[in-house]
């Protein structure tokens, strides 16, 4: 069974989880579940970035020690991820001993390669990004990503990483492997950045107490981005753990498009300096926007994550975000109210009316006309449409175009609803009672059950709990099968099991 190592950006411990965090984690979970359905041995990592100036400041502001603060924040994230049904295999925290050990080794190996130098830094620092900013990266003296925060003028002596020495190697990797940074817009951005040249970057901070000591200089802590990025290898046992040998290099890093520079330039250069192969692929997803602005804690106060989960249930929110927000771009809503209105509309039309009503109609007809017994599999018009949509779905999912994969699943839902209206099973049942043979009705019911089973397998990565309900109602046991077993599993469906309404109307 091939391995597939999938990671997301670890979330910063300066506040509770919000919708911007959720869309990345849900998308990654969809990919992880899909790869498992394809037969891969998936290792799915998420976690928390717990060191640095911003965390230290937030803890002090709330009268807490940094460790007590991050413990509380980590628990709040874990509770939300559990409610959303994430299937992650690990949850790394950068305050853990395993992370400190691996990070220290990584920094020591970079130092052994003579890629650190000591120098004085003078410049602007954005605590929101935990990054130094050039003058041309500011707008009216503020960071465009965190306009509500003051940018601090900083003067300190730090250890610097010789990033400029790795510019050509990273650029060569980018040019030789078109699939390394995706989608193409992100790849083009990184190409332009590298072609413009690189400057060396700070690898330590001298005034931050809350962090991992810089090896060989206890007066410094490891700069938070070096600390955070290394979680991808420390979580699987770097430098000599069994998990590191099995799963590295990672197959896919999923990140927000605003941190591609760190993952597609800094991180591969760090690994090269330590003699470690970079990850195989990085995907920079887009954002939900409200009125043209990126969703943030302040802008998203009217879109509380817990309230959205409770509005229609976790699977409904998973579906809405993956259907509405293109995985290779942004989705902009005029207002928070417009977001809620569209959520309600999708829930009613797509989930309650189209999908829920289809399941109810088909199971009811099999129960009424065949006593619950499912006719043997038959080919036909609907079966062919389901097969074409499944092929489109798998291609889209393999390309990480999750919104297109989900749309393909609903192509089957719409086709099945249309098939009911066109074939009129109730009329075929009347004809059968009048003496006609059973073949026509058996074919219709068999194709409808087959389409429901196929939809359950296609939707399982997106709405895992509801997909399992569809599969059970259609006669299956346990969760929907993987794709290699889907056709034989459809052939084993024998008897429907009517259940509760799949998506109750509000």
């Amino acid at each position: 069974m091939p391995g597939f190592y999938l990671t997301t950006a670890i979330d910063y411990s300066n506040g509770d989880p919000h919708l911007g965090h959720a869309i990345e984690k849900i998308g990654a979970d969809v990919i992880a579940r899909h790869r498992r359905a394809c037969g891969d041995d998936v290792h799915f990592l998420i976690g928390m970035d717990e060191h640095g100036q911003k965390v230290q400041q937030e803890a002090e502001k709330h009268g807490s020690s940094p460790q007590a603060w991050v413990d509380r924040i980590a628990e709040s994230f874990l509770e939300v991820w559990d409610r959303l049904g994430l299937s992650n295999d690990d949850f790394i925290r950068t305050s853990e001993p395993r992370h400190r050990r691996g990070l220290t080794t990584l920094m020591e190996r970079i130092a052994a390669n003579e890629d650190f130098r000591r120098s004085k830094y003078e410049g602007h620092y954005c605590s929101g990004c935990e990054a130094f900013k050039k003058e041309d990266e500011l707008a009216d003296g503020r960071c465009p990503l965190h306009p509500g925060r003051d940018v601090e003028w900083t003067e300190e002596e730090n250890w610097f990483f010789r990033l400029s020495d790795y510019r050509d190697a990273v650029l060569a990797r980018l040019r030789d492997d078109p699939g390394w940074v995706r989608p193409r817009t992100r790849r083009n951005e990184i190409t332009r950045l590298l072609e413009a040249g690189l400057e060396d970057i700070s690898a330590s901070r001298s005034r931050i107490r809350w962090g991992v000591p810089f090896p060989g200089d206890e007066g410094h802590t490891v700069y938070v981005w070096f600390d955070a990025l290394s979680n991808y290898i420390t979580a699987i046992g770097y430098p000599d753990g069994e998990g590191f040998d099995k799963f590295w290099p990672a197959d896919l890093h999923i990140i927000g498009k605003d941190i591609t520079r760190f993952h597609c330039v800094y991180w591969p250069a760090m690994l090269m300096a330590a003699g470690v192969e970079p990850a195989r692929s990085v995907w920079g997803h887009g954002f939900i926007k409200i009125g043209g602005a990126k969703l943030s804690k302040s802008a998203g106060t009217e879109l509380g994550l817990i309230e959205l989960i409770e509005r229609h249930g976790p699977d409904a929110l998973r579906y809405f975000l993956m259907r509405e927000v293109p995985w290779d771009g942004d989705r902009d809503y005029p207002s928070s109210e417009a977001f809620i209105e569209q959520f309600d509309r999708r829930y009613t039309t797509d989930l309650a009316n189209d999908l829920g009503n289809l399941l109810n109609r088909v199971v009811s007809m099999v129960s009424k006309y065949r006593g619950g017994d499912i006719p043997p599999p038959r080919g036909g018009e609907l079966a062919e449409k389901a097969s074409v949509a499944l092929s489109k779905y798998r291609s889209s999912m393999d390309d990480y175009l999750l919104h297109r994969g989900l749309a393909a699943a609903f192509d089957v839902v719409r086709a099945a609803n249309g098939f009911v209206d066109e074939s009129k099973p109730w009329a075929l049942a009347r004809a059968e009672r009048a003496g006609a043979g059973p073949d026509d009705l058996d074919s219709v019911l068999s194709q409808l059950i087959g389409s429901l089973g196929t939809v359950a397998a296609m939707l399982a990565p997106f709405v895992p709990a509801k997909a399992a309900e569809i599969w059970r109602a259609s006669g299956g046991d346990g969760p929907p099968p993987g794709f290699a077993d889907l056709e034989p599993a459809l052939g084993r469906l024998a008897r429907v099991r009517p259940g509760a309404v799949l998506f109750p109307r509000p």
Side-chain angles (χ1 to χ4, degrees):
M1 181 183 295
F4 189 91
Y5 182 30
L6 166 69
T7 75
T8 68
I10 53 176
D11 297 312
Y12 206 56
S13 301
N14 67 318
D16 293 326
H18 58 72
L19 191 59
H21 296 119
I23 189 169
E24 176 172 293
K25 302 304 178 290
I26 293 169
D29 185 61
V30 168
I31 294 172
R33 290 176 181 274
H34 172 67
R35 296 313 314 172
R36 293 187 189 108
C38 293
D40 290 344
D41 180 11
V42 172
H43 190 77
F44 173 27
L45 174 71
I46 62 177
M48 300 300 299
D49 178 6
E50 298 186 329
H51 289 139
Q53 178 177 333
K54 191 161 55 173
V55 169
Q56 182 176 307
Q57 291 172 342
E58 286 293 327
E60 291 171 351
K61 186 169 66 176
H62 289 83
S64 171
S65 70
Q67 187 64 61
W69 170 260
V70 298
D71 287 346
R72 186 192 75 77
I73 295 297
E75 187 61 32
S76 71
F77 273 79
L78 284 167
E79 289 175 2
V80 171
W81 299 152
D82 181 63
R83 292 188 66 173
L84 283 170
L86 297 193
S87 63
N88 53 293
D89 300 285
D90 195 1
F91 186 84
I92 181 71
R93 298 177 57 189
T94 57
S95 63
E96 293 181 63
R98 60 170 172 161
H99 176 73
R100 179 169 176 163
R101 287 193 299 268
L103 172 59
T104 299
T105 299
L106 178 71
M107 301 300 282
E108 288 173 343
R109 292 188 176 180
I110 296 174
N113 202 43
E114 299 184 348
D115 278 317
F116 291 133
R117 63 178 177 83
R118 194 159 183 158
S119 181
K120 186 176 181 180
Y121 178 82
E122 295 182 358
H124 302 286
Y125 188 80
C126 173
S127 61
C129 294
E130 291 278 12
F132 295 102
K133 298 288 183 177
K134 298 178 183 178
E135 196 71 42
D136 60 5
E137 294 179 292
L138 302 177
D140 297 323
R142 292 183 177 272
C143 171
L145 298 176
H146 300 93
R149 290 178 177 266
D150 291 329
V151 175
E152 305 170 20
W153 181 262
T154 302
E155 298 181 13
E156 60 185 43
E157 188 173 52
N158 294 333
W159 287 95
F160 279 72
F161 172 58
R162 301 181 189 277
L163 179 66
S164 56
D165 289 354
Y166 290 89
R167 178 257 191 189
D168 291 347
V170 176
L171 184 57
R173 171 72 182 263
L174 190 65
R175 288 173 171 167
D176 292 345
D177 184 358
W180 183 39
V181 176
R182 291 181 287 174
R184 181 175 295 181
T185 51
R186 307 284 88 81
R187 181 172 179 268
N188 292 341
E189 290 168 4
I190 296 301
T191 300
R192 290 193 294 270
L193 176 66
L194 289 164
E195 288 176 343
L198 297 176
E199 296 181 358
D200 295 347
I201 58 172
S202 181
S204 76
R205 295 296 305 278
S206 61
R207 300 177 183 178
I208 307 301
R209 301 184 306 276
W210 178 238
V212 176
F214 192 87
D217 190 342
E218 295 293 316
H220 287 242
T221 53
V222 176
Y223 177 48
V224 66
W225 274 103
F226 274 73
D227 187 341
L229 290 165
S230 63
N231 89 91
Y232 304 126
I233 56 176
T234 64
I236 52 173
Y238 175 81
D240 52 12
E242 181 179 336
F244 180 72
D245 292 338
K246 179 178 181 180
F247 286 110
W248 194 261
D251 293 273
L252 180 63
H253 288 323
I254 295 176
I255 59 167
K257 65 178 184 178
D258 57 336
I259 53 174
T260 50
R261 171 169 51 117
F262 299 97
H263 286 78
C264 304
V265 179
Y266 296 5
W267 178 227
M270 289 164 54
L271 291 170
M272 291 174 183
V276 179
E277 179 72 14
R280 294 190 176 99
S281 182
V282 179
W283 186 279
H285 65 81
F287 299 131
I288 295 174
K289 293 184 175 182
I290 303 296
K294 176 189 172 185
L295 188 68
S296 64
K297 283 189 296 182
S298 57
T301 51
E302 298 176 42
L303 298 175
L305 186 51
I306 298 300
E307 290 77 12
L308 289 172
I309 294 172
E310 293 176 346
R311 190 174 187 87
H312 298 302
D315 273 14
L317 181 60
R318 289 173 62 108
Y319 168 81
F320 176 70
L321 293 177
M322 293 298 98
R323 187 69 187 272
E324 282 280 307
V325 184
W327 199 236
D328 57 348
D330 296 334
R331 175 68 161 94
D332 196 355
Y333 296 88
S335 64
S336 297
E337 292 78 12
F339 177 96
I340 296 294
E341 289 171 5
Q342 183 65 359
F343 185 20
D344 290 346
R345 188 178 299 113
R346 282 283 188 192
Y347 178 84
T348 300
T349 58
D350 296 8
L351 298 179
N353 291 350
D354 292 349
L355 179 57
N357 189 49
L358 173 66
L359 179 65
N360 180 63
R361 295 171 83 187
V362 173
V363 171
S364 295
M365 287 188 294
V366 174
S367 298
K368 181 177 180 180
Y369 303 140
R370 291 295 180 260
D373 293 330
I374 299 170
R378 303 285 185 92
E381 175 189 349
L382 180 59
E384 179 62 28
K385 288 181 178 179
S387 177
V388 170
L390 179 59
S391 177
K392 178 182 177 182
Y393 167 92
R394 296 196 64 177
S395 175
S396 297
M397 296 296 284
D398 288 344
D399 288 338
Y400 306 133
L401 298 175
L402 310 183
H403 55 297
R404 294 184 185 176
L406 192 47
F410 268 74
D411 286 345
V412 182
V413 173
R414 285 191 296 272
N417 275 316
F419 185 67
V420 172
D421 296 336
E422 293 168 5
S423 60
K424 297 180 174 58
W426 49 90
L428 295 176
R430 286 197 300 268
E432 187 178 300
R433 288 194 296 270
D439 285 354
D440 288 345
L441 183 55
D442 279 352
S443 176
V444 168
L445 296 178
S446 173
Q447 288 185 74
L448 285 169
I449 287 292
S451 69
L452 278 176
T454 301
V455 165
M458 296 166 80
L459 291 181
F462 296 91
V463 289
K466 295 298 184 180
E469 290 184 36
I470 297 170
W471 183 248
R472 184 185 184 282
S474 303
D477 294 314
F483 295 112
D485 191 45
L486 179 57
E487 186 172 347
L490 292 174
R492 293 192 293 268
L493 298 177
R495 189 173 180 81
V496 296
R497 299 189 186 95
V501 176
L502 191 64
F503 290 101
R505 290 178 176 84

